[in-house]
């Protein structure tokens, strides 16, 4: 009895989140008849959480049905439930409960992205490709979306719409989409939190060949600073840049004495923002805290 109650609550939750009208149409489908969503941007990883899901399915079965759409060959394309399907196969199930929903290509993209964005942990690469896919689908559906136009009427409205839906700023949306221009290994390093988002965005503007050089540099010398990569991008034109020159610039900037880039503030300038009784140490702590907040916003 407890298992049946749990099943009912789980289904109600998916109904509310994904807009599924009812679970009455749930059917059992052979796992071999369900194929992954084309270019699915969300990773299915055999980690500890997957092991826990497999154990749960072995004990209780698949409590929440997956969402699929029929294709022209009598099989089904997965829309929502890739992790559950993978876990069910690992658990030895031959069939899985599913809700069949006929959808257009664009409807399925939006449904797939929205359902997966409900997850607690989402990698930067997953956000990058899912945001790009959803914007493309919105554009084809007639929404005013344009990834390349800088005209206020097209870009601003579409950015605002997606930003409101996913809870990100407009700038964050486009920073994430820039990550789709990275070569795979650099993007992996972003997911691994080895390369900050702001630095990765700067790297994304280089050609694939130059990104390969940057990757070699990272592997041998560590991750360059955001300011160093930005300066590299605004310096020599890419068609004139060689690997040797790239290494020279990156090493030169990373190893340069900090005095060369020293920033000073006169007492008169600081007095505009701080009361006279505040000590130098107190002023320094406030400045550093504001800079740290700015850094976090750039990496978010």
């Amino acid at each position: 009895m407890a298992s049946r109650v749990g099943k009912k609550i789980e289904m109600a939750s998916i109904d509310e989140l994904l807009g599924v009208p009812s679970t009455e149409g749930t059917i059992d489908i052979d796992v071999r008849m369900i194929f992954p969503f084309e270019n699915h941007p969300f990773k299915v990883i055999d980690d500890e959480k997957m092991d826990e899901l497999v154990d749960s399915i072995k004990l209780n079965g698949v409590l929440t049905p997956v969402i699929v759409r029929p294709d022209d060959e009598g099989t089904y394309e997965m829309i929502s439930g890739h992790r559950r399907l993978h876990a069910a196969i690992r658990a030895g199930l031959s069939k899985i409960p599913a809700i069949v929903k006929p959808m257009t290509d664009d409807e399925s993209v939006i449904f797939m992205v929205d359902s997966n964005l409900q997850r607690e942990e989402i990698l930067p690469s997953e956000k990058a490709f899912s945001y790009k896919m959803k914007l493309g689908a919105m554009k084809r559906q007639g929404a005013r979306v344009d990834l390349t136009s800088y005209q206020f009427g097209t870009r601003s409205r579409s950015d605002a719409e997606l930003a409101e839906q996913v809870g990100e700023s407009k700038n964050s949306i486009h920073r994430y989409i820039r990550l789709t221009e990275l070569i795979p290994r650099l993007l992996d390093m972003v997911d691994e939190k080895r390369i900050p988002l702001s630095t990765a965005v700067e790297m994304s503007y280089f050609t694939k060949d130059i990104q390969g050089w940057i990757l070699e540099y990272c592997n041998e010398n560590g991750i360059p600073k955001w300011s160093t990569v930005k300066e590299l991008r605004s310096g020599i034109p890419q068609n004139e840049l060689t690997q040797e020159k790239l290494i020279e610039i990156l090493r030169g900037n990373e190893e340069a004495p900090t005095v060369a880039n020293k920033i000073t503030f006169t007492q008169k300038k600081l007095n505009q923002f701080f009361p006279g009784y505040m000590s130098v140490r107190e002023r320094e702590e406030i400045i550093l805290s504001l800079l740290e907040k700015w850094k976090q916003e750039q990496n978010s």
Side-chain angles (χ1 to χ4, degrees):
M1 178 64 72
S3 175
R4 293 177 60 188
V5 172
K7 182 175 181 180
K8 182 177 180 181
I9 294 175
E10 192 84 21
M11 287 185 176
S13 175
I14 200 70
D15 289 350
E16 294 174 359
L17 291 175
L18 305 184
V20 178
S22 172
T23 58
E24 293 180 359
T26 301
I27 60 175
D28 290 333
I29 297 179
D30 191 319
V31 295
R32 296 172 299 180
M33 301 290 288
I34 302 176
F35 295 89
F37 193 93
E38 185 176 3
N39 298 322
H40 186 249
F42 297 94
K43 297 180 180 179
V44 177
I45 304 173
D46 281 314
D47 54 11
E48 183 178 348
K49 290 186 177 181
M50 179 60 71
D51 293 338
E52 293 174 356
L53 182 56
V54 172
D55 292 338
S56 173
I57 288 176
K58 287 180 178 178
L59 183 63
N60 303 305
V62 178
L63 301 181
T64 302
V66 301
I67 311 297
V68 299
R69 68 166 180 163
D71 58 27
D72 296 332
E73 299 180 2
T75 53
Y76 302 91
E77 182 179 37
M78 179 67 76
I79 304 297
S80 174
H82 289 77
R83 294 184 72 255
R84 275 166 282 161
L85 177 63
H86 181 73
I89 293 173
R90 279 189 50 186
L93 272 61
S94 60
K95 293 186 177 183
I96 189 170
I99 296 175
V100 181
K101 292 178 66 67
M103 301 183 200
T104 66
D105 290 346
D106 294 328
E107 289 172 344
S108 62
V109 166
I110 293 173
F111 195 101
M112 178 275 297
V113 170
D114 289 346
S115 61
N116 280 280
L117 288 178
Q118 303 294 335
R119 289 161 41 184
E120 293 181 3
E121 298 180 8
I122 303 176
L123 297 172
S125 63
E126 295 174 327
K127 284 189 176 183
F129 285 100
S130 62
Y131 289 169
K132 185 175 183 178
M133 289 177 70
K134 184 171 181 179
L135 277 173
M138 292 167 64
K139 177 181 179 180
R140 289 186 296 271
Q141 283 191 329
R144 300 189 69 183
V145 176
D146 190 334
L147 292 176
T148 59
S149 173
Y150 284 80
Q151 297 179 7
F152 180 82
T154 58
R155 189 182 182 203
S156 178
R157 293 186 183 182
S158 62
D159 289 356
E161 181 181 353
L162 184 58
E164 182 178 357
Q165 291 177 9
V166 301
E168 299 268 11
S169 70
K170 293 186 293 185
N171 288 338
S172 290
I173 294 293
H174 283 274
R175 282 200 296 267
Y176 277 115
I177 290 177
R178 279 301 318 173
L179 298 183
T180 64
E181 302 298 327
L182 288 173
I183 60 176
R185 185 57 195 133
L186 285 178
L187 186 55
D188 288 341
M189 294 170 74
V190 179
D191 285 342
E192 295 162 4
K193 299 182 179 180
R194 294 177 58 190
I195 301 180
L197 178 62
S198 56
T199 303
V201 169
E202 291 298 325
M203 292 178 177
S204 73
Y205 287 96
F206 290 101
T207 66
K208 305 304 181 186
D209 287 341
I210 296 178
Q211 287 185 38
W213 301 342
I214 293 175
L215 174 61
E216 289 184 35
Y217 178 89
C218 292
N219 290 333
E220 296 177 4
N221 303 279
I223 310 302
K225 299 175 184 177
W226 167 79
S227 57
T228 301
V229 180
K230 185 174 180 63
E231 182 176 339
L232 175 66
R233 186 165 77 88
S234 60
I236 302 176
Q238 294 192 41
N239 60 353
E240 300 177 10
L241 187 64
T242 64
Q243 186 170 12
E244 291 75 18
K245 189 63 178 178
L246 176 142
I247 294 174
E248 178 186 339
I249 294 173
L250 292 181
R251 283 181 176 171
N253 284 343
E254 293 294 306
E255 296 171 1
T258 55
V259 166
N261 296 318
K262 184 177 180 181
I263 299 175
T264 58
F265 297 94
T266 64
Q267 191 71 26
K268 182 178 180 180
K269 287 182 179 178
L270 292 178
N271 285 341
Q272 299 179 55
F273 306 98
F274 298 102
Y277 62 81
M278 188 171 288
S279 67
V280 173
R281 182 178 181 82
E282 290 174 328
R283 296 182 179 196
E284 183 181 78
E285 289 176 351
I286 291 175
I287 292 173
L288 290 176
S289 66
L290 291 173
L291 288 173
E292 181 63 30
K293 181 179 180 182
W294 177 85
K295 178 180 177 181
Q296 292 175 358
E297 291 176 349
Q298 292 300 306
N299 291 332
S300 65

